[in-house]
Amino acid sequence: MGKYIKYEIKGSYKFILGIITILLVAFSLIQMNIYKLSQQSNAVQNLKVTPFITGISGLVVFGAFLTAFFYIIGSFRKELYENRGYLTFTLPLTGNQIVGAKFIVAMMWFIILGLFVVVYNLLLGSIIFSNDWIANMKDIIQLLREILNQGTIALGVLGILSSIMTLILIYFSITVSRVSIRNKKLGSLWFVLFLILNGVIAYVILKINTIFPYYMDINVFEISHIDNVNLDNVNFVSQTVKNMGSPILLNDNCCNAYINITGLITKILITIGSFLGTGYLIENKIDL
Amino acid sequence: MMFNDHLPIYTQIMDIIKQRIVSGALREGEKLPSVRDLSTELKVNPNTIQRSYQELEREGFVFTQRGMGTFVTEDKEYIAKLKDYMATTLVKNFMIEMKALGFEVKQVIELINQQIKEEQ
Amino acid sequence: MDYIIEIKELSKQYFNKKALNNISINIEKGKIIGILGPNGSGKTTLIKIITGILRQSKGEIKIDGKTPGVYTKSIVSYLPDRNFLYPWMNIKDAIAFYKDFYKDFDEKKAYELLDFMKLNSKSKISSLSKGMTEKLNLALVLSRKAKVYVLDEPIAGVDPVARDQILNAIIENYNKDSTMIITTHLVRDMESIFEDIIFLKEGEVFLARNAEELREERKMQIDDLYKEIFG
């Protein structure tokens, strides 16, 4: 599988480098503009511009990830619909090895893109704002300290798990639609399938959470029934979600979170299941 | 090489080799091309070439030495006989066809003499 | 007799069309076998099942005693009838790729074959002509010391010089331990390299015999027989 990972990287690194180049240019421009603004003493105008710059930065990052995402999905589809499949699927590899390699490389690219955005901005910032860099870093570390707590970490981990599940569900949907319908024109049906699967899974998890409403307190790692969770502190978003059923994650107003154990396990199992399902279909059911 | 005859390929290859032997292109005792070489030269399945060599050996025109290859027989008389035989067969067939066209023996001889003059 | 491929009552049905209908053939070790038939006769379907990229609807197929899967893919060397290498590769990448994935791949032989075919290893695959692509693909496929070679239309659409090079490469790489299965509709150009012939007609085995026996019996070359059957 390691070898297949190598060729997955060789086949896609140029595109990712392209995205990184665009990010590099975009963030250089953004930071230079911030610097220019910071030189102007008009504080009122600064205040007006800050959200605008934050918005642009967000859009750039979002756009970059979306492009990478579509590229990765597209190259998976190509494997199933184009001539290259004749090479890939006659290799002496199991379906799981092929899907696994593709998944690992996809994750690697997302991590690299994320790291690049963070590291490059810090580095560039340190050069542009050289005099108050140490002060800036202190601010950033302070900010991180405030933000990072059990609650946000749990949210982050769950977010990553959800992204993993989304990617694997997309692989699964593409493969299922390829196996069941040979017609290439109907190939975009996978998206409908993906939406349906997503809906069904969300519903199933919600149901399971309601049947087994046992939550783990991240702070003390104790499991308790939802009735015993102190919901007074639970923040507005979680409260709203809670009113529709039992969500996987309940965040409180400050620093703690409660995770529904069965819901979490179900989510993980569904992810593993769709991974193995994709591997099985690729190995045993694909008709090129 | 295209094989257009109604015969199997191995017999056509045998004929080619016999022709090379009687014409002297392959001398007595000379080594035949290896199966693989002839196979690539003629673009023919190696097993077919192998079969031609086996049949030629059975008929006594070549012999095999283990690990050395296949050689043309050293029996000059035998080759001469083959030459005679091939010539006789050709003439026989020729006569049959000429007769089928309605030629008398005399006319045939005349035609042959005429042809020889033209070629000279 | 040692059979490398055993096919029993194999059928493949698409939505409304039968591509293969109840085929039973055994293929012996160490032979070059021609599968002949016009388009739609089931040639490609059969080949895809052998190479493990298509599943039968019914019946059984065993390659070296195993159903198509990871093992059979490691002993079957497949030349598809299309440009199957990744477009980003150059010839060197393709050779490295084969070397990485196939234990039976002989890198030295691959470079010799490239030389023989007059191909430059730095060329990008997307820049090659049809004939050069075909030669490169064949060089890769033949550089494996596989138990089974499956060549789908190896000389289709190439010029006469390339055709001769390809035929030579096939003959020179043939050996007693491996089996070559070749499809073609250019029967005249290829028939003399086949030992056995399988005629497929409308998804069924019409005739499967030794080529020389057929010539002897029918008093004609396989090409003429082909025209008689399908003409």
Side-chain angles (χ1 to χ4, degrees):
Chain A
M1 185 163 96
K3 287 168 188 162
Y4 194 69
I5 289 178
K6 182 171 98 186
Y7 287 96
E8 273 295 299
I9 294 172
K10 275 193 172 184
S12 54
Y13 80 96
K14 278 185 184 154
F15 190 86
I16 302 296
L17 271 184
I19 296 180
I20 286 181
T21 313
I22 291 168
L23 280 175
L24 194 122
V25 173
F27 279 113
S28 303
L29 289 173
I30 289 171
Q31 287 229 23
M32 261 144 45
N33 275 310
I34 296 175
Y35 180 69
K36 254 193 230 156
L37 288 172
S38 70
Q39 296 301 92
Q40 295 164 359
S41 50
N42 192 341
V44 180
Q45 198 187 341
N46 270 355
L47 272 177
K48 273 185 189 165
V49 172
T50 311
F52 177 69
I53 286 178
T54 317
I56 292 280
S57 304
L59 272 180
V60 167
V61 173
F62 181 70
F65 272 81
L66 206 65
T67 313
F69 191 67
F70 280 128
Y71 176 75
I72 283 160
I73 293 170
S75 69
F76 187 82
R77 254 178 67 78
K78 274 186 192 163
E79 213 71 79
L80 296 182
Y81 285 97
E82 290 181 6
N83 288 343
R84 56 183 299 141
Y86 283 77
L87 183 59
T88 307
F89 299 125
T90 52
L91 292 173
L93 294 174
T94 62
N96 287 340
Q97 285 173 321
I98 293 172
V99 183
K102 288 187 176 297
F103 170 74
I104 288 169
V105 173
M107 280 298 141
M108 196 190 81
W109 289 140
F110 290 133
I111 291 167
I112 284 178
L113 281 178
L115 279 179
F116 173 80
V117 170
V118 174
V119 171
Y120 179 70
N121 277 312
L122 285 179
L123 215 67
L124 189 69
S126 74
I127 294 166
I128 292 181
F129 306 92
S130 53
N131 19 351
D132 13 341
W133 184 66
I134 293 170
N136 276 332
M137 281 309 278
K138 272 185 187 158
D139 282 353
I140 288 169
I141 289 165
Q142 187 56 38
L143 192 68
L144 283 179
R145 270 202 193 128
E146 279 169 25
I147 293 174
L148 284 182
N149 55 46
Q150 277 87 343
T152 49
I153 289 172
L155 195 64
V157 169
L158 219 63
I160 290 169
L161 181 62
S162 291
S163 331
I164 290 174
M165 186 174 88
T166 303
L167 184 61
I168 288 176
L169 271 184
I170 288 175
Y171 284 171
F172 183 69
S173 309
I174 293 175
T175 311
V176 167
S177 61
R178 177 67 172 92
V179 167
S180 43
I181 305 158
R182 281 172 63 89
N183 192 338
K184 195 178 174 177
K185 281 175 196 153
L186 287 169
S188 49
L189 221 69
W190 72 265
F191 191 68
V192 179
L193 184 67
F194 168 69
L195 291 180
I196 293 170
L197 274 176
N198 246 334
V200 170
I201 288 168
Y203 179 77
V204 166
I205 288 180
L206 209 64
K207 273 284 161 214
I208 285 176
N209 289 346
T210 317
I211 296 169
F212 305 101
Y214 294 96
Y215 281 76
M216 183 164 77
D217 184 335
I218 293 292
N219 218 7
V220 289
F221 290 102
E222 258 172 27
I223 297 172
S224 49
H225 194 272
I226 192 160
D227 294 343
N228 303 326
V229 172
N230 182 5
L231 288 172
D232 296 341
N233 281 333
V234 166
N235 71 19
F236 176 69
V237 178
S238 291
Q239 197 64 260
T240 318
V241 181
K242 160 117 202 357
N243 290 338
M244 299 186 285
S246 302
I248 285 190
L249 185 72
L250 289 170
N251 270 80
D252 69 9
N253 281 324
C254 170
C255 324
N256 205 6
Y258 306 91
I259 289 181
N260 185 299
I261 293 304
T262 44
L264 181 71
I265 291 171
T266 310
K267 205 174 169 89
I268 292 171
L269 287 181
I270 288 173
T271 307
I272 294 172
S274 6
F275 177 87
L276 295 177
T278 311
Y280 172 80
L281 290 176
I282 277 188
E283 194 175 325
N284 299 302
K285 295 285 173 223
I286 288 283
D287 277 2
L288 290 187
Chain B
M1 174 106 200
M2 291 291 179
F3 298 90
N4 293 314
D5 224 309
H6 54 278
L7 294 169
I9 288 174
Y10 83 94
T11 49
Q12 298 186 52
I13 289 168
M14 285 169 70
D15 288 343
I16 294 169
I17 292 169
K18 282 178 185 172
Q19 218 167 39
R20 287 187 192 177
I21 292 174
V22 297
S23 72
L26 278 169
R27 304 213 143 269
E28 55 265 28
E30 193 179 329
K31 190 172 183 286
L32 261 58
S34 74
V35 168
R36 196 155 284 264
D37 284 351
L38 195 60
S39 179
T40 9
E41 187 195 326
L42 303 177
K43 316 248 181 300
V44 167
N45 188 299
N47 291 336
T48 310
I49 307 279
Q50 187 65 49
R51 174 142 185 226
S52 308
Y53 281 17
Q54 278 166 3
E55 294 291 322
L56 283 168
E57 185 165 10
R58 225 165 45 85
E59 293 182 6
F61 298 109
V62 302
F63 64 95
T64 320
Q65 275 191 323
R66 271 201 172 276
M68 303 275 290
T70 308
F71 299 85
V72 178
T73 176
E74 279 157 359
D75 189 342
K76 280 186 190 174
E77 261 177 56
Y78 198 69
I79 294 173
K81 262 188 202 162
L82 172 67
K83 196 167 183 170
D84 271 357
Y85 174 75
M86 283 176 86
T88 320
T89 317
L90 260 180
V91 174
K92 255 187 198 162
N93 288 339
F94 171 70
M95 286 308 288
I96 289 169
E97 296 213 6
M98 290 307 275
K99 276 177 189 162
L101 289 175
F103 283 95
E104 298 288 324
V105 178
K106 264 187 195 170
Q107 288 174 298
V108 173
I109 295 172
E110 251 169 53
L111 272 173
I112 290 174
N113 282 333
Q114 210 179 316
Q115 183 66 26
I116 291 170
K117 262 182 205 163
E118 264 174 41
E119 279 180 20
Q120 280 166 348
Chain C
M1 194 45 88
D2 246 352
Y3 294 124
I4 183 75
I5 298 178
E6 293 160 279
I7 295 170
K8 232 167 99 186
E9 291 158 16
L10 199 72
S11 296
K12 175 69 185 180
Q13 179 134 21
Y14 293 118
F15 248 164
N16 38 14
K17 169 177 145 252
K18 270 190 176 163
L20 285 180
N21 191 10
N22 214 23
I23 281 188
S24 297
I25 335 166
N26 290 324
I27 293 178
E28 287 167 26
K29 241 177 218 170
K31 286 195 167 179
I32 304 180
I33 290 134
I35 299 186
L36 311 181
N39 290 335
S41 58
K43 280 181 299 177
T44 301
T45 305
L46 179 59
I47 270 188
K48 284 180 174 177
I49 292 175
I50 293 173
T51 53
I53 51 174
L54 196 71
R55 315 314 129 163
Q56 67 269 35
S57 318
K58 263 188 230 153
E60 197 182 63
I61 175 164
K62 288 260 167 74
I63 300 159
D64 201 19
K66 303 271 185 348
T67 48
V70 175
Y71 169 72
T72 67
K73 286 172 185 174
S74 74
I75 60 155
V76 174
S77 190
Y78 174 39
L79 177 80
D81 60 345
R82 57 194 74 210
N83 196 356
F84 63 110
L85 295 169
Y86 301 154
W88 59 264
M89 289 176 158
N90 63 31
I91 293 183
K92 256 191 177 156
D93 292 322
I95 287 176
F97 186 88
Y98 262 71
K99 192 184 165 200
D100 272 343
F101 286 105
Y102 297 108
K103 288 194 192 100
D104 57 10
F105 186 75
D106 182 346
E107 191 182 9
K108 205 177 134 236
K109 186 170 171 187
Y111 279 108
E112 279 167 16
L113 270 171
L114 286 185
D115 228 31
F116 172 71
M117 309 268 208
K118 303 201 165 48
L119 286 167
N120 179 350
S121 63
K122 288 194 189 78
S123 310
K124 252 207 128 198
I125 280 163
S126 48
S127 72
L128 297 178
S129 70
K130 167 96 179 120
M132 289 201 283
T133 308
E134 197 62 40
K135 287 195 277 185
L136 165 65
N137 295 350
L138 192 79
L140 290 169
V141 168
L142 290 180
S143 298
R144 288 182 57 190
K145 205 176 169 353
K147 287 191 176 173
V148 179
Y149 297 90
V150 177
L151 315 179
D152 198 1
E153 298 284 355
I155 58 165
V158 305
D159 62 84
V161 177
R163 187 195 59 204
D164 276 8
Q165 287 174 329
I166 288 172
L167 286 178
N168 280 345
I170 291 174
I171 291 171
E172 274 171 18
N173 285 281
Y174 162 78
N175 67 71
K176 286 263 173 234
D177 305 320
S178 46
T179 305
M180 283 192 177
I181 298 168
I182 302 174
T183 72
T184 188
H185 62 269
L186 302 167
V187 183
R188 176 153 298 288
D189 288 334
M190 293 202 82
E191 67 164 278
S192 56
I193 74 165
F194 300 139
E195 189 165 351
D196 287 351
I197 306 276
I198 296 168
F199 284 103
L200 285 186
K201 191 177 186 182
E202 287 156 18
E204 297 183 20
V205 176
F206 183 80
L207 187 63
R209 280 287 290 283
N210 175 282
E212 290 281 77
E213 279 173 29
L214 277 175
R215 291 187 188 101
E216 199 148 20
E217 218 177 86
R218 308 283 172 119
K219 304 247 178 294
M220 57 172 88
Q221 296 299 300
I222 305 298
D223 185 46
D224 301 316
L225 185 56
Y226 181 91
K227 283 173 191 153
E228 198 179 285
I229 294 173
F230 299 109

